[in-house]
Amino acid sequence: MEIAVITGTSTGIGFATALHLAKNGYRVFAGMRNLAKAPPLRDAAAAAKLALEVIELDVTSDDSVARAFATVAAEGAVDVLVNNAGIGGATPLELTPQDEHRSMFETNYFGAIRCIQAVLRPMRERRRGAIVNVTSIAGLVSIPNQVPYSASKWALECAGEALAHEMARFGVRVVHVEPGVVQTHIFENSAEATRYEKTSPYQPIMRRNGKFYSAGFRDPAHPEQVAEAILESIRAEPYRFRWLVGKDAVGMCGGRRKISDEAWIGMGAELTDQEYNQRFYDYFGIRL
């Protein structure tokens, strides 16, 4: 059985992906920072008689990553790495403490880099393997009111694209799965999204960011859809680098490519809600 390591598996996309890959023939090592959250995944795997083991894996810790991958290496080489662990947040740049920026990057960017570096040399030497980075539409379109989150995803997008180039000659597949709004708990571990909202001069921007998510939650992608895209991205021929998941991801990515930088930035001007909502629909096909 090929071995897959997946990070951030306690809930949401990681949880669904661990089960989906195990059901499709992989021996899965499901990483999570807090093993107190492991019983639901363990129970689901046991009920389906899947080859799935939950391991402690805190992507922000060098020691934890080293221990986790040593545990896996004792069982065999890693064939698939899915970098899914992530945290979110929603406040304007002026109001976001630097510690929150660092925390976001430590998990969303450096956490993925730590895990990639743990598997890269063996994959290169074996001339086989797949690395899946679960990024976000926020890694393709800069999202106001979510600057550190969006920036961390942009950084991973850049690193992953360059890595895909570096690995092409060695037979190692690097892909990005880029969901829009997904029905998950990512923002439960984030900074308080409503902080300063009622009194902030940024209130219109914060409110409109919230309306974007509300629109997404009316017809969200589900973790299982992302899991299906992850499996397909690993196996697809011919190879494809980017995998958008969700109607809003497709609309945002396609629409942003068609408009100028100035048109996108101009949406931050003092528009009425009606004007803003109409532009958003015209550009991206999404009704707020």
Side-chain angles (χ1 to χ4, degrees):
M1 299 176 74
E2 291 192 326
I3 290 177
V5 177
I6 306 166
T7 69
T9 61
S10 60
T11 60
I13 293 169
F15 186 101
T17 302
L19 293 175
H20 190 59
L21 264 59
K23 288 174 183 177
N24 282 274
Y26 290 88
R27 182 179 179 187
V28 171
F29 288 85
M32 59 180 70
R33 181 178 57 181
N34 182 1
L35 291 182
K37 297 181 179 180
L41 182 55
R42 284 176 172 154
D43 292 346
K49 298 181 179 179
L50 300 175
L52 187 154
E53 180 179 344
V54 178
I55 59 173
E56 185 175 8
L57 174 52
D58 178 355
V59 300
T60 68
S61 165
D62 291 338
D63 290 342
S64 179
V65 169
R67 286 194 303 269
F69 282 92
T71 297
V72 177
E75 302 298 321
V78 176
D79 297 287
V80 176
L81 168 65
V82 180
N83 283 312
N84 168 71
I87 58 175
T91 48
L93 178 60
E94 181 184 342
L95 306 179
T96 308
Q98 289 187 25
D99 284 349
E100 288 186 23
H101 287 258
R102 293 188 178 95
S103 177
M104 210 84 65
F105 269 81
E106 198 61 55
T107 299
N108 298 352
Y109 177 75
F110 288 109
I113 297 301
R114 283 187 184 90
C115 294
I116 290 170
Q117 290 186 325
V119 303
L120 202 54
R121 181 171 181 174
M123 285 186 176
R124 176 181 58 77
E125 291 177 343
R126 294 170 63 223
R127 302 188 70 87
R128 60 176 296 180
I131 297 169
V132 182
N133 294 320
V134 180
T135 63
S136 168
I137 190 60
L140 299 173
V141 180
S142 59
I143 305 297
N145 197 53
Q146 292 184 269
V147 173
Y149 177 73
S150 196
S152 69
K153 292 298 188 178
W154 275 53
L156 185 56
E157 283 281 348
C158 176
E161 185 172 330
L163 177 65
H165 187 115
E166 292 176 356
M167 289 296 105
R169 69 180 58 211
F170 299 114
V172 177
R173 174 176 296 216
V174 180
V175 296
H176 282 185
V177 174
E178 299 150 335
V181 176
V182 180
Q183 197 74 50
T184 72
H185 302 287
I186 186 171
F187 288 101
E188 289 185 359
N189 295 324
S190 68
E192 184 183 355
T194 58
R195 182 174 51 192
Y196 312 117
E197 186 172 354
K198 293 182 180 179
T199 59
S200 170
Y202 295 102
Q203 194 273 338
I205 293 170
M206 300 169 82
R207 178 166 45 81
R208 286 166 180 170
N209 182 224
K211 288 180 69 176
F212 168 71
Y213 279 89
S214 295
F217 284 133
R218 290 198 294 269
D219 187 17
H222 293 278
E224 292 76 15
Q225 291 172 263
V226 183
E228 290 169 3
I230 288 170
L231 179 61
E232 188 177 358
S233 74
I234 294 166
R235 295 179 170 178
E237 294 296 345
Y239 162 76
R240 193 172 100 209
F241 178 65
R242 298 192 187 280
W243 296 77
L244 294 165
V245 183
K247 295 177 182 177
D248 55 343
V250 173
M252 287 293 292
C253 184
R256 180 62 184 88
R257 289 172 176 169
K258 293 177 182 177
I259 65 173
S260 67
D261 295 338
E262 291 74 22
W264 172 238
I265 291 167
M267 292 188 68
E270 293 187 11
L271 304 176
T272 66
D273 282 349
Q274 184 177 2
E275 291 170 331
Y276 182 89
N277 294 349
Q278 185 61 51
R279 285 195 196 182
F280 208 91
Y281 178 73
D282 291 343
Y283 292 160
F284 309 116
I286 299 171
R287 293 196 182 278
L288 300 181

